[in-house]
Amino acid sequence: EIGDLGNASNRMAQTLKVLFDEKARHLKEVWALADASNILFAIPLTEDIYKAICNISIRNFDLKFVWIGLIEEGSYNVKPVAHSGYEEGYLSHIKVTGDDSLTGMVPSSMAMKTKTSMVIHDYESDPAIYPWREEALKRGYRSSMAMPLIFSDGKVIGVLKFYSGVPQFFTEKRVDSFHVFANQATTTIENRWLIEGLEEKVKERTRELEIARIHAESANKAKSEFLANMSHELRTP
């Protein structure tokens, strides 16, 4: 009985340790998300917003590789605009489109089409990653998560893709955290686009006002010259 009690105590201690470690790990990830959010909203306007988002993801979430792709205007193609982490030509092997072709069925494409996250838990066994499995495993990518970038009006502009070197990395809790970060990243991108749009409108309006000023000055100059000539003609017999 004493032996059984001792074994039970050991099991309980082991269980408590596992629960404590899990709690500590989750708390660390929550703090990492909070820190990432603070950095995200403090990105200066002079900095490349896409590169900054990728760098923050690598630095705060223990990831191996991150990239952002935007849908090219007038086509179904998704063009990578920034990445961070170990890449070494991986993006050259990836083709993501928004149509119904084979490249439109990959996880990143499906994330944009369905407006939901798509998780690959293990690159060695998941058939969805078959076309890029060899290249992914060669670089140590074992799991991934694709998040659609959706503006406030519901428009999908691209995809944010996270890669881990650990299979089954994207647990339910982590997926929730990445959802929060991706939504914040999308908001930051949308705000940047709005600011850049306003700046362009201000520049365009400034150009219009400058042209109007030049025309007004030219008209005033022509008027002054006309009046001067008329005055001269009237004074001259």
Side-chain angles (χ1 to χ4, degrees), residues 174-202:
R174 284 184 176 137
V175 167
D176 290 340
S177 295
F178 281 108
H179 267 285
V180 172
F181 177 75
N183 289 336
Q184 292 173 340
T186 305
T187 300
T188 304
I189 293 172
E190 184 172 14
N191 289 340
R192 176 67 66 87
W193 282 24
L194 290 173
I195 292 172
E196 291 175 348
L198 289 173
E199 289 178 344
E200 184 56 36
K201 287 181 179 179
V202 169

Side-chain angles (χ1 to χ4, degrees), residues 64-65 83-93 135 138-141:
K64 202 169 186 68
F65 177 48
H83 69 271
S84 186
Y86 183 50
E87 193 264 343
E88 199 183 55
Y90 182 68
L91 290 177
S92 64
H93 295 278
E135 295 296 332
K138 187 188 301 182
R139 291 165 176 79
Y141 309 153

Side-chain angles (χ1 to χ4, degrees), residues 26-228:
H26 180 61
L27 182 60
K28 180 181 177 181
E29 291 174 354
V30 169
W31 279 110
L33 175 61
D35 181 61
S37 300
N38 291 333
I39 299 172
L40 192 63
F41 293 126
I43 298 173
L45 294 176
T46 54
E47 189 172 347
D48 184 332
I49 187 71
Y50 310 115
K51 182 67 174 178
I53 290 171
C54 293
N55 288 339
I56 293 169
S57 302
I58 290 291
R59 182 170 58 245
N60 284 59
F61 302 129
D62 195 27
L63 297 168
K64 202 169 186 68
F65 177 48
V66 177
W67 66 277
I68 289 179
L70 299 180
I71 300 174
E72 292 184 309
E73 188 174 353
S75 78
Y76 293 108
N77 297 329
V78 175
K79 179 183 179 181
V81 293
H83 69 271
S84 186
Y86 183 50
E87 193 264 343
E88 199 183 55
Y90 182 68
L91 290 177
S92 64
H93 295 278
I94 292 179
K95 186 175 182 181
V96 177
T97 61
D99 56 14
D100 294 327
S101 64
L102 179 61
T103 53
M105 298 294 116
V106 298
S108 296
S109 299
M110 294 306 298
M112 292 187 293
K113 287 181 178 180
T114 61
K115 295 186 177 183
T116 58
S117 61
M118 297 295 293
V119 176
I120 301 296
H121 289 292
D122 193 341
Y123 271 42
E124 284 194 344
S125 58
D126 197 312
I129 202 63
Y130 172 73
W132 302 280
R133 177 179 292 128
E134 182 179 349
E135 295 296 332
L137 293 176
K138 187 188 301 182
R139 291 165 176 79
Y141 309 153
R142 291 297 305 274
S143 57
S144 68
M145 176 179 175
M147 278 293 303
L149 301 175
I150 309 173
F151 275 1
S152 57
D153 60 0
K155 178 183 179 181
V156 178
I157 65 156
V159 64
L160 176 58
K161 190 72 176 285
F162 308 105
Y163 295 78
S164 171
V166 180
Q168 309 297 331
F169 178 82
F170 296 95
T171 61
E172 185 176 345
K173 288 183 179 179
R174 284 184 176 137
V175 167
D176 290 340
S177 295
F178 281 108
H179 267 285
V180 172
F181 177 75
N183 289 336
Q184 292 173 340
T186 305
T187 300
T188 304
I189 293 172
E190 184 172 14
N191 289 340
R192 176 67 66 87
W193 282 24
L194 290 173
I195 292 172
E196 291 175 348
L198 289 173
E199 289 178 344
E200 184 56 36
K201 287 181 179 179
V202 169
K203 290 179 182 178
E204 180 62 28
R205 183 56 178 161
T206 301
R207 285 194 293 266
E208 292 174 354
L209 291 173
E210 179 63 17
I211 292 172
R213 183 187 67 79
I214 293 173
H215 287 169
E217 289 180 351
S218 298
N220 285 333
K221 183 179 179 181
K223 179 181 178 181
S224 297
E225 290 176 351
F226 172 76
L227 292 175

